[in-house]
Amino acid sequence: MEIQLWRSMLCPYETAVRELIVKFEQIREEHKNNDLYSPIEQVTGRVKTVSSILEKMQRKQIPLSNMEELVEDIAGIRLICQFEEDIEVVSAMIKKRSDMVLKLEKDYLTHIKQSGYRSYHMIVYYTVETIDGPKRLQVEIQIRTMAMNFWATIEHSLQYKYRGDIPEHVADRLCNAADAIISLDREMSSVRNEIMDAQISSLFQSNLVRDILNNIECMYRQTSKREIQKIQMEFLRIYNTKDIRQLEHFHHQLDILAEGYQAQSL
Ligand code: 0O2
């Protein structure tokens, strides 16, 4: 590859990152729309900067001709989970997909890096369409908890500040912090079921309210203003009771009513 062609070389990687962010966000949305707990809490992605690619090539003695094969993290996706247990669920989900082919996995959860870094990495092959036809490229997917991400983000900036040579007293503090993160993740995992229940019921309620309001909006065009005001007041009365069963019952009744209006309008 000619060095002046950097921008066009990176273009398909940018497409891959954009597409994958949409796809992983979609998984999150699908869970939420179906009142399900999402093992993915947050999705981010980036294309490695040219200077970071060059630094890695220099450090690992990678020739320019082998760059795309040997620099596996030019395209990077980061999936943040709430609990450590979610990481396995997410990695299993990725393995089942037909649009990503697993090349390798690096388990820094079991094999914690000396720095204290914990995360689960997957290198996958992913194909993007370009004006020259399909291009198969590699993407690094990092899966970690919010707590692991907090630690890694701070440590990464310190690595940058000290150019990889973190003073011993700071490194010791980071190791202590990494231990604290392990305890925090364990502690949160022990109340995972309660937290998940709470999140699912709050999601259920917000989806219910969304569906009720959609129904009221549709009925607005099919019924009298007086009738719709009565329905709205009843909705607000039930909503204020915070009784989810009553709200569910109201939703069901409203569905029947809406179907009736729908039939009349045909
Ligand atoms: P950026 O800014 O994320 O692109 P390498 O560590 O690059 O020599 P390898 O085998 O290519 O080794 O990759 P590895 O270690 O599996 O994963 C590389 C990426 O993981 C890093 O990318 C970081 O994002 C993250 N990572 C790995 N080790 C650490 C660590 O000790 N601390 C932190 N904070 N992150 C780590 P880059 O290229 O460093 O940076």
Side-chain angles (χ1 to χ4, degrees):
M1 190 198 79
E2 305 293 332
I3 199 138
Q4 64 270 31
L5 295 178
W6 272 108
R7 263 210 307 206
S8 53
M9 189 285 292
L10 290 182
C11 197
Y13 289 88
E14 273 152 17
T15 308
V17 168
R18 276 199 301 270
E19 286 184 11
L20 287 170
I21 289 178
V22 170
K23 288 181 177 188
F24 285 115
E25 292 279 10
Q26 176 60 24
I27 296 180
R28 203 179 122 71
E29 286 306 308
E30 252 185 85
H31 278 87
K32 304 252 157 184
N33 287 336
N34 290 295
D35 302 332
L36 293 171
Y37 169 82
S38 168
I40 300 176
E41 178 61 19
Q42 198 193 336
V43 183
T44 58
R46 63 97 184 99
V47 171
K48 215 172 173 65
T49 60
V50 175
S51 95
S52 179
I53 297 174
L54 284 174
E55 182 279 320
K56 192 164 197 168
M57 286 166 67
Q58 196 182 35
R59 180 162 46 88
K60 298 197 160 186
Q61 312 239 302
I62 298 172
L64 206 54
S65 52
N66 288 349
M67 181 192 69
E68 287 194 76
E69 189 200 331
L70 298 181
V71 183
E72 294 164 321
D73 64 340
I74 297 178
I77 294 288
R78 191 167 289 158
L79 305 176
I80 310 295
C81 309
Q82 298 194 76
F83 303 101
E84 204 166 331
E85 290 81 352
D86 300 335
I87 297 178
E88 209 181 316
V89 176
V90 176
S91 71
M93 238 175 221
I94 293 172
K95 285 181 204 163
K96 274 200 222 140
R97 292 186 68 106
S98 58
D99 55 351
M100 297 169 212
V101 176
L102 182 67
K103 177 186 178 188
L104 60 92
E105 292 165 280
K106 294 181 194 171
D107 182 357
Y108 299 130
L109 300 174
T110 317
H111 308 286
I112 304 175
K113 279 203 163 184
Q114 207 185 347
S115 59
Y117 178 74
R118 283 160 72 234
S119 191
Y120 197 83
H121 292 192
M122 298 173 93
I123 308 292
V124 298
Y125 290 110
Y126 179 74
T127 303
V128 289
E129 291 297 329
T130 74
I131 50 172
D132 302 316
K135 179 176 167 74
R136 189 164 108 133
L137 40 80
Q138 306 187 72
V139 179
E140 181 188 74
I141 304 175
Q142 299 182 344
I143 316 169
R144 50 171 86 146
T145 62
M146 292 195 261
M148 291 173 197
N149 192 47
F150 170 57
W151 183 92
T153 308
I154 304 283
E155 197 262 1
H156 197 274
S157 25
L158 287 173
Q159 289 281 6
Y160 184 78
K161 175 176 174 186
Y162 293 109
R163 294 177 197 281
D165 199 11
I166 298 185
E168 212 178 302
H169 70 282
V170 181
D172 285 348
R173 289 278 168 93
L174 282 169
C175 278
N176 293 341
D179 289 342
I181 293 290
I182 296 179
S183 308
L184 176 63
D185 271 331
R186 283 206 189 123
E187 204 60 42
M188 296 312 274
S189 286
S190 71
V191 281
R192 183 172 182 254
N193 287 342
E194 267 105 311
I195 298 174
M196 276 170 63
D197 281 350
Q199 290 177 352
I200 289 169
S201 64
S202 137
L203 192 65
F204 181 69
Q205 173 165 338
S206 82
N207 286 348
L208 202 57
V209 169
R210 179 202 60 199
D211 292 347
I212 290 173
L213 291 178
N214 279 348
N215 255 343
I216 294 181
E217 198 176 344
C218 289
M219 285 167 69
Y220 189 79
R221 295 181 204 99
Q222 294 159 333
T223 183
S224 70
K225 208 169 171 182
R226 214 165 134 250
E227 181 74 4
I228 212 79
Q229 269 170 354
K230 244 172 73 188
I231 294 171
Q232 266 177 20
M233 274 166 64
E234 180 61 359
F235 162 66
L236 289 175
R237 188 192 68 75
I238 295 173
Y239 181 79
N240 286 334
T241 65
K242 296 187 178 16
D243 182 339
I244 197 84
R245 283 189 204 287
Q246 275 198 57
L247 207 58
E248 240 186 311
H249 180 69
F250 178 73
H251 177 228
H252 183 63
Q253 299 289 96
L254 206 60
D255 259 350
I256 298 172
L257 205 62
E259 268 174 34
Y261 281 118
Q262 192 80 29
Q264 272 176 29
S265 69
L266 290 176

